[in-house]
Amino acid sequence: MSIELQIQNLRDQLNHHNYQYYVLDDPSVPDAEYDRLFQQLKALERDNPEFVTKDSPTQRVGAQPLSAFSQIKHEMPMLSLDNAFSAEDMQEFNRRILDRLQLDGADSIEFACEPKLDGIAVSLLYEEGVLIRGATRGDGTTGEDITLNVRTIPTIPLKLSGSGYPHRLEVRGEIYMPKSGFEAINKKALSQGLKAFVNPRNAAAGSLRQLDPKITASRPLEMCSYSIGIAEGGDLAEKHAEILKQLQGWGFRLNPLLEVVSGVKGCLDYYERVSELRNQLPYEIDGVVFKVNQLGQQEKLGFVSRAPRWAIAHKFPAQEEMTTVKTIEFQVGRTGAVTPVARLVPVFVGGVTVSNATLHNMDEVERLDVRAGDTVVIRRAGDVIPQVVKVVLERRPEKTVVVEPPEQCPVCQSKVERLEGEAVARCSGGLYCAAQRKEALKHFASRKAMDIDGLGDKLIEMLVDLDMLHTPAGLYQLTREELSKLERMGPKSADNLVNAINDSKATELPRFLYALGIREVGEATARALAMHFGELDPLMEASEEQLLEVQDVGPIVAKHIINFFDQSHNKEVISALIDQAGVHWQPIESKAQDQLILQGKTWVLTGKLEQMGRSEAKNHLLQLGAKVAGSVSAKTDCVVAGPGAGSKLSKATELGIPTMDEEGFIAFLNEQGIELE
Ligand code: 9MJ
């Protein structure tokens, strides 16, 4: 490609990005990419000055403002800043200044240092101390009149305080949205089904660009001032940092990290210190700004077309970069959550190489409309996990395919279920799914489930990793020979473990149901199901309506139960446990009715039970044969009263019915061999 064509090509790209960024507030590429293109164009033009034209993006800044707001011509152009990307760039900046001022290396320049806030540059005009106009920077020459909107921002004074200010004073600064405010409005927008903002800068721009100032007022915007424009009348200090202090006295917020340093070494040191702080700051910055502090020196240095020679922005490494999505895969987590993940062409961003980014759930995939082959903007700020911020649609290749959620688990092929109102899809494979197996086995063996002594989490992980254990039924086939070969497992411990596993075969139906790890079926629900159905088979065949009759079971739990028993894998595991391994329990009905201690008794629960839920308490009573009634009468045998018990307790006392508090009730349950969850 000829040089001329390369230049034209770069200009076209930059003009396009400019329009997206300045006019539409919808940046198409990360700033770092824009900067790179800009630097490339600058270098080509520097080496081939015959091709420089007036309309090159290097010769003007920004793009045309939108016409929705009235336009304002800045009396003094609003400058932009040159960029430095390295210590060498900073050395060169300093050298140029010394040369122009005819100073030598021994004379160090005083620099005012400020963080470079990533927001929107604005100009505020005060006449006789009263705010009369606010404008955006626009293209530096012409901006938009946003007076009504800036008046809504609390950190902008409507009237100056103190005295001695110029009777016409233009204050310039950055309007930005703090990180916390950004997260809050995005959360709200997403909950209302609205589009989220890409980043805080974008959110600030979008909020300022509202024709209705009420909307701007509702957005968490702040402003810091960093320079002045017009100043007529009044005495201004002779140093930049001192003028800022004067502004502070008149009511403007300054960035608290403002400092004055000496020489380029002082600048580089400031850069390092602020880099360290970057992630902890409550607002986003993309670098630091150095300004020659003495106004006399600033005047001598003057300007080049777009920027002052006396200031520079030393940019931080980018936190946003572009890369390509190779594929989108689905990962199965420990709870069976099926999560879409973008596999990326590795990209260096925010100080690390990123090759994967979670897409969280299908809602997020749909929101981003991300597809394999897409070019995406990746953001990694601080220690936050890398995020896909947006798809660069204009770079989408032909024939991309919309991502469909998997119907089957990518690990075990079981059905993936996504309940209404839930963002997360889950593998219903439960015990069968390899990805969930370790957790399921830990649960199966735990104290309130099958209670296998000596089978701890580490051991389960080892057995699964060594491919010695696939399902809970496999536990019952482990031999002492196999087990004693394991690390740190002597023949005695192996013996003990095999015995404990064997002992667990004689169990109770509620424990067994709980051990299966059906979603939302905790110990109390398992017990309620066991009491209601009496045996496993009728429960496995139960319809939704039948399940809904059970105390504690609502539509969601019912769906989980039905889904679980619908999976043939789960049925196979259950059959292996019962028919092959010999897991068994006493049939509930076979317990002679008169053996139950509370058979024929009526109990009432009242007040707040702090150590167990009402439903757990009720289940324990039902298990012991009692009827649990809602009101106290002469037929009541006992009242369990927690704090806040009212009329039921007084009625019981009146009728001379025995009562107990929660402590007493727990002691009673313990005597019956029932331990709390
Ligand atoms: C920001 N963005 O924080 C300037 N800026 O000065 C600071 N921007 C600036 N100074 C002259 N601190 C033009 C832009």
Side-chain angles (χ1 to χ4, degrees), residues 285-315:
I285 60 175
D286 59 349
V288 290
V289 181
F290 301 113
K291 294 174 183 168
V292 170
N293 202 24
Q294 287 193 27
L295 297 199
Q297 289 181 331
Q298 285 190 3
E299 266 159 42
K300 280 192 204 152
L301 288 163
F303 306 88
V304 278
S305 66
R306 65 186 278 269
R309 287 202 185 87
W310 43 263
I312 200 157
H314 190 180
K315 298 290 263 307

Side-chain angles (χ1 to χ4, degrees), residues 468-485:
M468 290 168 68
L469 187 56
H470 299 100
T471 72
L475 278 171
Y476 297 93
Q477 285 163 3
L478 291 170
T479 62
R480 44 177 73 72
E481 287 73 35
E482 273 179 301
L483 287 172
S484 55
K485 282 187 207 133

Side-chain angles (χ1 to χ4, degrees), residues 321-328 341-348 354-357 370-378 388 390-392 395-397 400:
E321 279 292 358
M322 277 194 320
T323 189
T324 318
V325 176
K326 291 196 286 191
T327 57
I328 293 171
V341 181
R343 307 282 179 215
L344 307 167
V345 172
V347 59
F348 191 73
V354 173
S355 32
N356 300 300
V370 57
R371 306 175 189 186
D374 268 338
T375 297
V376 289
V377 177
I378 299 294
V388 176
K390 65 174 271 170
V391 172
V392 185
R395 298 211 182 173
R396 173 167 283 173
T400 52

